Amino acid sequence: MPIGESHNALGLDFNQLSDPSQATAMDLDKFEEQLPTRQLLKITPGPSADEQYDRLAEIFRPVFAQIAATAKDRDLNRVLPFEQVGLLNRERFGALRLSVADGGYGARLVDVFRLLIELSEADSHVGQLWRAHIAFVENVLALEDEELRKKWVARIAAGQIIGNAYTERGGNALGTLNTKASTVDGRWVIDGEKYYCTGTIFADWTTVAVAHPELAGRQIAVVSTQRSGVKILDDWDGFGQGLTGTGTTEFHQVPVDCFMPQQTNDSEAAIFQLVLMAVQAGIARAALNDLRSAVQARTRIFTTGTGVPVYQEPQVLQLVGEVSAESFAADSVVIGAVLEVEAALGDPGLNDEERYAVCELAANRAQTVVQPLAIGVTSKLFDGLGASSTRSGCNLDRHWRNARTIATHNPAIYKARIVGDYEINGVQPQRLSVTGEDSTQRA
């Protein structure tokens, strides 16, 4: 129905009534009861240059709906989403960026992130666990080694998932790694232990940051998670994002499938951060959804209110409006940053250093803004509901717990300084290749 028309199931056309008093009170009551709420804004903001995103969304939204239906209970009962990953894999979610000719969907980077926001709205754990896979696919698409590229494109098209094992929990000096590659009987193997291995428990392969005896700096080995020397533990005990497989992975004499070429100043770090920001935007949207539903259903009226039903209470409506605006802002910032990265990756006028700077600055600016928005939204939703909303069965606190936990990753407090240093002093973003312990001794 075109916007502006107001026909209803009763056959009344209120646009044709010159005097609203012509409609009886009974008619108006029936009209209000039967008129559906119409959402005029796009479900996910972003460019609409063609119909590609709508086609992709049509494929994946039914899957997202299935995932959302049990998300609250999975979080409450700590049930890892193996089934939900399988549902996505059946539709080859991990092959979005591959060309149609290569067995993918030919999606733009921004399409992937718009879908990721929707997936994270359904379940933020499931959104986050694709973090390493999304970044790995971008690295594969940029490979100059055609044989290596073909091998990984074929695997990704077949539905194989790639996880992450970069970080060591402690004990390694800054810039060094305790996980090492060595040769046994003429074949490269790796030994070591990693933590924060998001997604690896669901993956077929995992990327492992290792020290290499013949190459300087951090090297990336890819190994199969099905090898007998791989032990994946579900031991992440954070108070949020508990179902992402962000725990320990141990490697003992595990054969290396390949080493990924090290690409100078690539966009991987920015992609990693923007995935988290998309998850944050999805959490904000999920919090808004729960707030909207709870307010619409609430019949209990506070003595300190104005005496009208909660869904008409001016201050509650203002609160919901603020949450809606903040959620929209988070979406828009993430999409804007991804568009910036996408443009930089395709700009032949940028050298590697400049391209890295553009991508990092976009991600850092987004992180500086989006994380406070998500944390604020997930806390504010309780203000319009009351003490009953804090019951464990409601599990509304999962939104705050998950947003707060994600905000600890590569803390945002460092990001604004990096952006400010660039704005004032022209200092381009730098990165340490390996997180580690401070080796200096304090007096």
Side-chain angles (χ1 to χ4, degrees):
M1 181 183 296
I3 295 174
E5 292 187 14
S6 52
H7 294 279
N8 61 76
L10 299 176
L12 294 173
D13 181 357
F14 288 92
N15 287 332
Q16 300 300 316
L17 296 179
S18 58
D19 182 357
S21 65
Q22 295 176 31
T24 67
M26 182 182 69
D27 289 336
L28 289 172
D29 288 344
K30 289 181 179 178
F31 173 72
E32 290 177 352
E33 290 173 2
Q34 296 189 35
L35 185 66
T37 300
R38 298 183 62 212
Q39 300 292 339
L40 302 182
L41 295 176
K42 287 188 294 183
I43 293 177
T44 301
S48 298
D50 54 46
E51 297 179 353
Q52 175 169 277
Y53 183 73
D54 290 335
R55 291 195 299 269
L56 293 172
E58 186 176 359
I59 294 168
F60 288 102
R61 278 181 185 153
V63 181
F64 297 165
Q66 286 183 266
I67 291 171
T70 53
K72 182 183 79 170
D73 291 337
R74 275 197 308 279
D75 182 278
L76 192 62
N77 299 309
R78 208 179 191 286
V79 178
L80 292 178
F82 287 103
E83 178 184 351
Q84 289 66 37
V85 173
L87 291 173
L88 288 166
N89 213 16
R90 187 174 64 190
E91 301 294 345
R92 296 180 303 111
F93 184 80
L96 279 165
R97 283 281 284 147
L98 302 186
S99 69
V100 174
D102 285 332
Y105 289 94
R108 292 178 57 189
L109 186 63
V110 72
D111 294 330
V112 174
F113 274 83
R114 291 172 74 188
L115 287 171
L116 186 61
I117 291 173
E118 293 199 41
L119 172 58
S120 300
E121 177 184 6
D123 188 333
S124 61
H125 305 89
V126 181
Q128 187 185 346
L129 67 85
W130 290 92
R131 186 186 186 202
H133 182 92
I134 290 170
F136 185 84
V137 170
E138 292 306 306
N139 287 341
V140 167
L141 295 178
L143 283 173
E144 296 180 359
D145 184 331
E146 190 60 29
E147 289 303 312
L148 187 60
R149 184 183 186 279
K150 285 181 178 178
K151 177 170 75 171
W152 281 109
V153 163
R155 288 172 172 174
I156 294 165
Q160 296 182 28
I161 301 172
I162 297 87
N164 161 65
Y166 279 8
T167 307
E168 295 174 1
R169 198 166 194 173
N172 63 304
L174 183 65
T176 68
L177 288 163
N178 293 330
T179 305
K180 302 184 185 303
S182 61
T183 54
V184 175
D185 297 328
R187 184 170 189 179
W188 287 104
V189 298
I190 63 170
D191 291 272
E193 181 178 299
K194 298 290 187 177
Y195 196 62
Y196 303 111
C197 300
T198 302
T200 294
I201 201 169
F202 308 98
D204 303 282
W205 306 88
T206 190
T207 53
V208 189
V210 299
H212 193 290
E214 300 174 6
L215 300 171
R218 182 191 73 169
Q219 301 300 315
I220 303 300
V222 187
V223 303
S224 169
T225 59
Q226 308 306 308
R227 293 286 187 175
S228 59
V230 178
K231 184 177 182 180
I232 304 173
L233 306 178
D234 180 28
D235 60 348
W236 168 244
D237 62 352
F239 59 66
Q241 292 299 96
L243 311 181
T244 60
T246 303
T248 302
T249 306
E250 300 172 0
F251 304 94
H252 177 68
Q253 297 284 285
V254 180
V256 175
D257 179 82
C258 70
F259 289 98
M260 293 296 288
Q262 294 297 283
Q263 302 175 55
T264 304
N265 294 323
D266 59 37
S267 64
E268 183 181 73
I271 298 294
F272 263 71
Q273 286 308 107
L274 287 171
V275 168
L276 292 182
M277 295 308 96
V279 175
Q280 292 279 43
I283 292 172
R285 290 173 57 162
L288 171 60
N289 293 340
D290 281 349
L291 175 60
R292 182 192 302 113
S293 298
V295 169
Q296 289 172 337
R298 191 172 180 84
T299 58
R300 189 176 176 85
I301 298 175
F302 288 108
T303 58
T304 49
T306 61
V308 300
V310 176
Y311 64 85
Q312 293 178 336
E313 182 66 60
Q315 287 176 292
V316 173
L317 296 179
Q318 178 179 336
L319 175 76
V320 175
E322 290 171 357
V323 168
S324 177
E326 289 161 2
S327 174
F328 178 80
D331 277 9
S332 301
V333 170
V334 173
I335 295 301
V338 173
L339 287 170
E340 185 90 351
V341 170
E342 188 171 58
L345 294 178
D347 187 346
L350 298 176
N351 61 36
D352 288 345
E353 184 176 324
E354 292 168 338
R355 185 172 292 106
Y356 173 78
V358 171
C359 293
E360 283 294 295
L361 289 167
N364 289 349
R365 288 168 177 143
Q367 188 174 2
T368 301
V369 173
V370 171
Q371 291 191 163
L373 287 172
I375 293 171
V377 163
T378 55
S379 178
K380 191 182 290 185
L381 76 90
F382 295 97
D383 294 336
L385 301 177
S388 62
S389 64
T390 67
R391 291 183 301 115
S392 60
C394 296
N395 201 21
L396 290 177
D397 62 305
R398 75 186 187 279
H399 301 308
W400 182 88
R401 288 187 288 102
N402 292 336
R404 180 65 266 181
T405 297
I406 290 175
T408 64
H409 291 59
N410 304 305
I413 61 167
Y414 301 120
K415 306 302 182 177
R417 172 188 57 79
I418 293 170
V419 175
D421 203 10
Y422 172 79
E423 295 285 2
I424 298 300
N425 302 311
V427 176
Q428 295 201 359
Q430 304 294 318
R431 67 175 171 184
L432 300 172
S433 63
V434 178
T435 300
E437 303 287 346
D438 181 5
S439 60
T440 61
Q441 297 295 319
R442 294 187 180 184

